[in-house]
């Protein structure tokens, strides 16, 4: 079984987020990792206990997620996680591949090596989270890593589009990979991406990114 834990609230970006934003980020990560399942109704007090916070920021954060279409409000009960169809997941992954693979590959020619190297601690954090079976930390660090890479391309709108697509992804196979001891090997691909970028090997970056994104509907997808 995957280890039980009280997930730490993640911190995204350089600006210090509000408590409400940190709770919302943790809830999004829990949705992506499958720790909050579609069709299930979750109460704000119940989630507050799970995340070790008060109910008010959880309720506010869930309202933010409702505006994004990630959950539906259930009067007098809480919030129901919205289902994502296989076709939707395929479409999200296809769009991500069209954007992320060429954009990341191009960074092999354009990115500042110092800026790339600054992402290595995040890549190592992904590996550490995978080894610990902390899926929320894994998803959150993965998001920071890939959005951090894309930000080096200098297109803020592109980053926003990919952020939204990643939030809508569902990686229900992560739990099984943790239980099988296989997630850490997959996580090390982030270090492989960085090394290929720093080696200025555009084709290697493209190949690793294609393999890496392929996991979204492969290794990481199966419930």
């Amino acid at each position: 079984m995957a280890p039980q834990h009280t997930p730490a609230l993640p911190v995204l970006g350089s600006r210090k987020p509000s408590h409400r934003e940190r709770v919302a980020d943790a809830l999004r990560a829990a949705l992506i990792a499958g720790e909050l399942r579609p069709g299930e109704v979750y109460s704000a007090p119940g989630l507050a206990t799970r995340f070790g916070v008060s109910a008010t920021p959880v309720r506010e954060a869930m309202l933010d997620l409702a505006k994004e279409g990630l959950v539906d409000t259930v009067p007098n009960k809480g919030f129901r996680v919205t289902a994502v169809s296989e076709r939707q997941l395929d479409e999200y992954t296809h769009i991500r591949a069209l954007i992320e693979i060429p954009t990341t590959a191009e960074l092999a020619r354009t990115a500042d090596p110092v800026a790339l190297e600054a992402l290595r601690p995040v890549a190592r954090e992904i590996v550490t989270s995978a080894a610990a079976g902390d899926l929320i930390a894994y998803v959150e660090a993965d998001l920071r890593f890939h959005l951090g890479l894309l930000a080096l391309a200098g297109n803020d709108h592109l980053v926003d589009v990919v952020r939204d697509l990643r939030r809508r992804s569902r990686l229900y196979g992560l739990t099984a990979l943790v239980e099988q001891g296989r997630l850490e090997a997959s996580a090390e691909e982030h270090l492989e991406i960085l090394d290929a970028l720093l080696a200025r090997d555009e084709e290697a970056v493209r190949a690793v990114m294609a393999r890496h994104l392929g996991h979204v509907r492969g290794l990481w997808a199966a419930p």
Side-chain angles (χ1 to χ4, degrees), residues 7-10 12 19-37 42-44 46-66 68 70-71 79 81 136 139-140 167 169-170:
L9 297 178
L12 296 176
H19 194 52
R20 170 178 178 166
E21 290 170 328
R22 292 180 64 209
V23 171
D25 286 334
L27 291 170
R28 289 188 191 96
L31 284 168
I32 294 168
E35 295 196 5
L36 300 179
R37 305 294 283 189
Y42 297 91
S43 70
L47 289 171
T49 299
R50 178 172 177 172
F51 284 84
V53 296
S54 65
T56 297
V58 171
R59 190 173 291 107
E60 293 173 342
M62 292 299 274
L63 290 173
D64 290 339
L65 268 59
E68 297 169 17
L70 302 179
V71 300
F79 301 87
V81 176
I136 289 181
V139 168
E140 184 272 332
R167 285 174 174 175
S169 298
R170 296 293 179 266

Side-chain angles (χ1 to χ4, degrees), residues 94-155:
H94 179 62
I95 297 169
R96 284 179 53 188
L98 290 174
I99 296 173
E100 292 186 63
I101 293 174
T103 302
T104 305
E106 186 178 354
L107 293 175
R109 291 187 287 107
T110 63
D112 179 357
V114 174
L116 289 171
E117 197 61 53
L119 288 167
R120 192 171 296 275
V122 186
R124 288 177 177 148
E125 184 182 339
I126 298 170
V127 176
T128 301
S129 300
D134 188 339
L135 296 184
I136 289 181
Y138 177 93
V139 168
E140 184 272 332
D142 177 78
L143 181 69
R144 280 193 285 126
F145 177 84
H146 287 286
L147 294 186
L149 274 181
L150 294 174
L152 298 180
N155 187 327

Side-chain angles (χ1 to χ4, degrees), residues 153-170:
N155 187 327
D156 292 341
H157 184 65
L158 180 149
V159 174
D160 288 340
V161 169
V162 173
R163 178 188 288 110
D164 180 66
L165 290 168
R166 282 180 167 267
R167 285 174 174 175
R168 296 178 185 282
S169 298
R170 296 293 179 266

